[in-house]
Amino acid sequence: MPSRSRRALLAAVGTGFAGGLAGCSARLGNLTSQTDPNEFSVGPLYVADGVPLPDGADPQTVDDPAAARVALFPSDGFDRPEPGTALRESTPVVVVGRNAQVLPMDLCAADGRPYGFASDGWGSDTRVAAAVPSEDGLVTHVFEGIEVPGGLAGAVDTVLNPPRTACAVDAELSDRPPGFDEEARTLGPSYVHGRNDVATFTRRDAVRVVSDADGTHVELELRGTIRGGDGTYDADQVRLVASFDDRLRATAPPASETGGLAVRRVAEETGDTVDHRFTQAGDGVRPEFTACQRSLVTAAETPGPFSYVGNARFRWRDQRLIREDDLWHHHTPGQGVWYPDGGRSV
C-alpha cells in the first residue's frame, strides 16, 4: 500500500506544488534546447485542438493519433477518448498546458501496464508531461521550467530520445538476493527534466522488483545528471536522498573519492533513509556528470503500489568568486509511486 508514514505525509504536503518550491534559489526559467523551436523533426505528429505550436512551426501531421509518431493533447482533455486510445496503440502521448502531469497520471492508471512517477506532485509550472509505451510498461516524463510553445519541439525530441548517461561512480549493489538479476521485473524509468535560471538537469528513477519466500525485494535507482549552464555557474554537486517505510537491505555507492568526484554518504538515525552527496573535487571541473544511487529494500508482502520519499538536489557554483555562498540550488522533492501491476489505488 502507499506509504502513510510521517515522511510520506511531509511529502504529501508538497503535492501539487513540488516543483515550484523545489529549492532555496530555484526560480524556474525557460527550458531551452538546441532544437529549433519551430523544428519538429521526429516524424508525423497528431496535434489535437488546443495545443499551442510555436509561430512559424509547420510540422507534418496526421488525422489519426494511432498513426502518429507522437500525439499531442491539451492538459484539459480529460473527456477525450483519443489520448487513451493512442497510448493503447503504442503511440507516445505528450500533454501540454497547465498542470500537465495530471492527465498522464490518469492515462497511465487506466492503461493497465506497469508504470511509475518520480513524484506524484505537480504544479501549474508543469507545462509538459508525457507517457511512452515500452517493453517494460510505460515510461513517464515531467518537464519543469519549460516555455510553451517555444520549448515544445525540444521537449518532444527529449521524450523520444531521453538522455543516456553513464554513472560517474559505480553504484553496483553487492547484496542482491540470489537470482535477482535473472528474475526481477524492470519498471520505468520516470524522468524529471528541468531548467532553472542558470542551467539544466535530469532526474531519472527506475525500479526493479522480484518476490521470493523472504518477501518482495525492490531495487530503486536514482540518477541525477547536472549540467553546467551559461558559463557563470558550473556543475558542483548532486545530492540523492531516498526514504523508505520498508527495511533497507543495502545501498551503494560507498564513500570514496574517484574520477574527480568526492562521494559522501550521510548516515541517518532512522536507518531507512539513504543520502549520497557527489561533489566535484580536484583541480578539474566536469561540465556535467551523472550521480547514481541504488538501494535495495525488502517488504514482508507485495507492495501495491511501492512508494518512497525521494529528492534529487542539484547545486551549481560560481567559480569566479571566492566566497562560499554563491551557489544555485534546485530540488525535486516528492513521493515516488510505482505500480508493478498497473492501476492506481484510491
Side-chain angles (χ1 to χ4, degrees):
M1 294 298 294
S3 170
R4 290 182 172 84
S5 68
R6 179 177 62 86
R7 293 183 306 280
L9 292 174
L10 289 174
V13 171
T15 298
F17 52 88
L21 299 183
C24 55
S25 299
R27 292 179 295 151
L28 290 178
N30 295 330
L31 183 64
T32 59
S33 171
Q34 297 299 319
T35 304
D36 186 314
N38 297 328
E39 183 70 25
F40 290 88
S41 58
V42 297
L45 304 179
Y46 174 84
V47 183
D49 292 341
V51 175
L53 296 180
D55 291 340
D58 186 24
Q60 178 188 359
T61 60
V62 294
D63 295 330
D64 181 3
R69 181 70 179 88
V70 184
L72 279 63
F73 296 94
S75 58
D76 60 359
F78 291 97
D79 296 330
R80 302 173 184 238
E82 293 90 350
T85 300
L87 200 60
R88 288 191 295 273
E89 294 293 330
S90 297
T91 299
V93 170
V94 176
V95 176
V96 185
R98 294 175 64 87
N99 302 309
Q101 185 171 340
V102 181
L103 180 54
M105 292 177 75
D106 284 349
L107 293 174
C108 290
D111 181 86
R113 282 172 284 189
Y115 73 98
F117 281 90
S119 174
D120 64 354
W122 67 88
S124 59
D125 287 310
T126 305
R127 300 298 179 93
V128 178
V132 180
S134 74
E135 292 182 359
D136 300 317
L138 299 173
V139 177
T140 59
H141 298 259
V142 173
F143 291 81
E144 294 184 1
I146 188 172
E147 178 187 359
V148 173
L152 185 55
V156 169
D157 182 72
T158 299
V159 166
L160 295 181
N161 303 287
R164 301 179 184 275
T165 54
C167 301
V169 177
D170 181 29
E172 194 67 23
L173 288 170
S174 59
D175 193 28
R176 295 188 181 101
F180 184 92
D181 288 331
E182 295 77 19
E183 299 175 12
R185 288 192 296 151
T186 299
L187 312 179
S190 177
Y191 292 90
V192 178
H193 311 275
R195 165 94 200 193
N196 53 42
D197 283 357
V198 301
T200 64
F201 64 89
T202 301
R203 172 180 167 180
R204 176 188 184 274
D205 292 23
V207 164
R208 294 200 296 166
V209 59
V210 68
S211 296
D212 60 20
D214 296 324
T216 298
H217 310 286
V218 182
E219 180 183 283
L220 168 67
E221 182 189 69
L222 269 62
R223 292 192 182 203
T225 299
I226 185 171
R227 306 174 187 90
D230 56 5
T232 301
Y233 285 85
D234 294 325
D236 183 54
Q237 184 187 85
V238 177
R239 183 178 175 186
L240 303 175
V241 183
S243 183
F244 307 96
D245 286 318
D246 300 303
R247 180 173 66 90
L248 178 66
R249 179 167 177 166
T251 190
S256 64
E257 184 168 336
T258 179
L261 289 178
V263 182
R264 178 186 173 201
R265 182 186 171 194
V266 180
E268 297 286 343
E269 294 181 359
T270 58
D272 54 8
T273 296
V274 291
D275 183 343
H276 287 88
R277 304 178 189 187
F278 303 76
T279 308
Q280 298 253 31
D283 297 331
V285 176
R286 295 172 180 232
E288 66 178 77
F289 65 89
T290 297
C292 299
Q293 174 197 86
R294 288 194 181 99
S295 300
L296 183 67
V297 299
T298 299
E301 57 183 5
T302 302
F306 168 72
S307 65
Y308 53 91
V309 177
N311 197 352
R313 307 180 182 186
F314 302 90
R315 188 178 80 185
W316 294 263
R317 181 185 298 275
D318 187 344
Q319 300 288 354
R320 302 172 303 169
L321 303 177
I322 297 176
R323 69 177 189 265
E324 294 294 323
D325 62 344
D326 200 11
L327 303 172
W328 200 277
H329 302 263
H330 197 113
H331 296 182
T332 60
Q335 184 172 16
V337 184
W338 296 81
Y339 301 86
D341 300 315
R344 187 194 320 148
S345 63
V346 178

